[in-house]
Amino acid sequence: MPQGQELYLLTNEQKKSIVEREARRRLYGVWFMNDGEPIYITGDHYFFLNYWFMNADTEDGYPEYRDNHRYYFYFLDYCDKDPNCFGDIFITQKRYAKTEIALSRIYNHATVGVNTGNLYGMQSLNDKDAKQNLFARVVRSHLKMPELIRAADDGVKNPQATIRFMAPLTRTTKGNSVNK
């Protein structure tokens, strides 16, 4: 994904093509070769691996591919598509990245248009824990997103309590912007 100065060298058509390609991948997933074996990962898993900065103990702070995560994302995808499923209860050991997976899925769904009209959230022990633990992680990753796919926000550089995502501007009427 082009960033910084590389981004300014692209035409609007090239930028649009990248945004559309990434939206398809985030919605429908991708196939790739892993040690000569074709592997499918869901759109949420693709987003998690490529865009969710979690400050992990890795070379770049992003998650590494793990096969057990792939199966969990398959399960979550199945739950999303089953109209009789109300969600899942996932019990596992610490350090599995449960919270990061849940936060990345919420962000991906909210910003790529999955289940449009829904509200998204997570439960925490208390307000302080939610702000310092969950919200801080969302802000950290949101600010690290590539410019082309980052959700438009209200422009606050160091949000402490909320990030307001803004609807994209679609047209202007007599100098006034009108939201979609």
Side-chain angles (χ1 to χ4, degrees), residues 66-135:
R66 295 184 179 163
D67 225 27
N68 60 348
H69 283 166
R70 176 172 58 110
Y71 292 116
Y72 182 51
F73 277 100
Y74 286 167
F75 171 73
L76 293 171
D77 191 53
Y78 180 81
C79 289
D80 289 343
K81 292 175 181 171
D82 182 357
N84 296 315
C85 180
F86 294 108
D88 71 295
I89 297 174
F90 187 53
I91 301 169
T92 186
Q93 73 280 2
K94 288 187 145 300
R95 312 290 298 164
Y96 186 82
K98 300 180 291 293
T99 303
E100 296 293 343
I101 289 170
L103 292 172
S104 76
R105 289 183 74 240
I106 289 170
Y107 188 97
N108 189 37
H109 288 205
T111 59
V112 82
V114 175
N115 300 326
T116 304
N118 289 340
L119 297 175
Y120 300 93
M122 282 185 74
Q123 186 173 359
S124 190
L125 296 172
N126 53 47
D127 289 347
K128 182 180 176 185
D129 184 63
K131 184 178 177 181
Q132 291 178 346
N133 189 16
L134 301 180
F135 185 69

Side-chain angles (χ1 to χ4, degrees), residues 129-146:
D129 184 63
K131 184 178 177 181
Q132 291 178 346
N133 189 16
L134 301 180
F135 185 69
R137 293 178 186 197
V138 171
V139 170
R140 174 195 63 211
S141 292
H142 170 70
L143 295 175
K144 289 271 193 179
M145 295 281 163

